[in-house]
Amino acid sequence: MTSLAGKKIIVVGGSSGIGFGVAAAALEHGAEVVIVGRSEDKLKAAEERLGAGHVTAIAADMANEADVSRMFEQAGAFDHLVATAGTPPPNDPIGETDMDFVRGFVDGKLIGSVMLAKHAVRKLNKGGSMIFTSGVNKDRPPVPGGAVVAAVAGSFSYFARALALELAPTRVNIVSPGWVDTEMWDEIVGEAKTGYFEQMGGRIPAGRIARPADIAPAYLYLMQNKFMTGETVHIDGGQRLV
C-alpha cells in the first residue's frame, strides 16, 4: 500500500455525494484534490466545506468532450482519477421508456466515462490509476424499470477489464456501491426518502443505508494498492444478497 501524501487526485462529481466523501477522505490522507462538477455554486460550497486552499474546483460538463479536454488541461498532471458523477437513472417500464432520457443518461454515465478515460491518459502520471463507479442495480435490478440502469452499470466491469489491459501498467478499477444516502435521492424520492431508507436498511445485512464516508475507503484502497487492476469492488452492506 502506498501513501497518498502529495498525490494529485481528480474527483469528478466531487461537489456532493460519494465524490465529496472521496475528496474529504483523500485530503485527510495528504492528497491534493481537484473536484469537478457542472454547477459552479455547488463546487464553491464544496470547496468551502473541504477547506479553502486545500482543494481546487473546476466546472465542466462530462457529457461535453470539449469540457472534458479543457478540464484535464486545466488540472495538469495528476495521479488518480475518480469518477462518481451521475444523474437519476431511467426507471420506467421498458414499454414506456423515454428514449431521449435514456440517451442522456447513457451519455452522462457511460459515454462520459469513455471521454474521461480518453483524455485522462494524456495527463495521468506513471503508476497512477482510474476508478469508475458502477452500482448494485446491475446485481439487483429494480423490477420493472431497471433494465437500462442495470445494462449501463454492468458494462463498467468489462470496460475496466479491457482498459486495464490496454493501459497497463496504469490501473483501472470499479467501485460498486449499494444505496448511499446522497443528495440524488432527495431528487428521486423527495420527502419519502427517510421511510424508504428505513425500510431498505432493515432488509440488508449491514442494517442501514450507507453514507458517503462508508464508501470512500474503497476508492482510497484502490488508489493505494498497486496490485489491483481490472477489478470491481463491491461495497453494498450485503445488499446484493437479499
Side-chain angles (χ1 to χ4, degrees), residues 134-142 146 149-151 153-154 157 176-178 232-236 239-242:
S134 178
V136 73
N137 282 339
K138 69 186 184 309
D139 308 294
R140 303 290 292 177
V149 67
S157 293
S176 179
T232 297
V233 173
H234 295 91
I235 181 164
D236 56 23
Q239 189 172 347
R240 288 178 301 141
L241 306 177
V242 297

Side-chain angles (χ1 to χ4, degrees), residues 8 30 33 87 91 111 127 129 166 174 183 208 214 219-220:
K8 183 187 289 186
V33 176
T87 58
N91 60 4
I111 303 303
S129 73
E166 179 178 342
I174 306 297
E183 295 88 339
R208 64 174 175 83
D214 296 313
Y219 293 86
L220 268 60

Side-chain angles (χ1 to χ4, degrees), residues 158-242:
Y158 296 99
F159 180 57
R161 290 174 66 179
L163 275 187
L165 292 172
E166 179 178 342
L167 301 181
T170 292
R171 297 177 296 105
V172 184
N173 291 293
I174 306 297
V175 172
S176 179
W179 290 7
V180 184
D181 188 354
T182 66
E183 295 88 339
M184 186 184 295
W185 280 98
D186 296 317
E187 184 177 345
I188 295 173
V189 297
E191 294 180 358
K193 184 178 80 169
T194 299
Y196 209 52
F197 278 6
E198 287 178 355
Q199 182 183 21
M200 176 54 75
R203 289 176 51 194
I204 67 175
R208 64 174 175 83
I209 298 299
R211 297 177 292 270
D214 296 313
I215 309 302
Y219 293 86
L220 268 60
Y221 170 75
L222 291 173
M223 290 182 230
Q224 292 176 291
N225 190 324
K226 290 191 172 183
F227 215 63
M228 284 284 286
T229 192
E231 296 294 337
T232 297
V233 173
H234 295 91
I235 181 164
D236 56 23
Q239 189 172 347
R240 288 178 301 141
L241 306 177
V242 297

Side-chain angles (χ1 to χ4, degrees), residues 87-111 133-156:
T87 58
N91 60 4
D92 292 324
I94 195 66
E96 302 170 18
T97 299
D98 181 329
M99 294 310 301
D100 288 336
F101 191 87
V102 168
R103 289 188 182 95
F105 177 70
V106 173
D107 279 351
K109 188 66 177 174
L110 180 58
I111 303 303
T133 304
S134 178
V136 73
N137 282 339
K138 69 186 184 309
D139 308 294
R140 303 290 292 177
V143 178
V148 173
V149 67
V152 173
S155 69
F156 277 89

Side-chain angles (χ1 to χ4, degrees), residues 32-163:
E32 176 186 350
V33 176
V34 178
I35 57 173
V36 181
R38 287 174 294 181
S39 169
E40 292 188 5
D41 290 340
K42 288 183 178 179
L43 286 168
K44 183 177 179 180
E47 225 179 338
E48 292 174 355
R49 289 172 61 198
L50 291 168
H54 299 286
V55 60
T56 301
I58 300 176
D61 182 354
M62 292 304 99
N64 182 310
E65 187 168 8
D67 264 17
V68 173
S69 177
R70 173 186 56 78
M71 180 272 288
F72 281 112
E73 288 298 324
Q74 191 172 339
F78 70 99
D79 300 287
H80 301 285
L81 170 67
V82 172
T84 66
T87 58
N91 60 4
D92 292 324
I94 195 66
E96 302 170 18
T97 299
D98 181 329
M99 294 310 301
D100 288 336
F101 191 87
V102 168
R103 289 188 182 95
F105 177 70
V106 173
D107 279 351
K109 188 66 177 174
L110 180 58
I111 303 303
S113 296
V114 173
M115 288 195 293
L116 284 173
K118 172 184 175 179
H119 292 277
V121 295
R122 301 169 186 174
K123 296 293 183 178
L124 185 58
N125 291 328
K126 184 176 181 180
S129 73
M130 302 182 194
I131 307 170
F132 298 94
T133 304
S134 178
V136 73
N137 282 339
K138 69 186 184 309
D139 308 294
R140 303 290 292 177
V143 178
V148 173
V149 67
V152 173
S155 69
F156 277 89
S157 293
Y158 296 99
F159 180 57
R161 290 174 66 179
L163 275 187

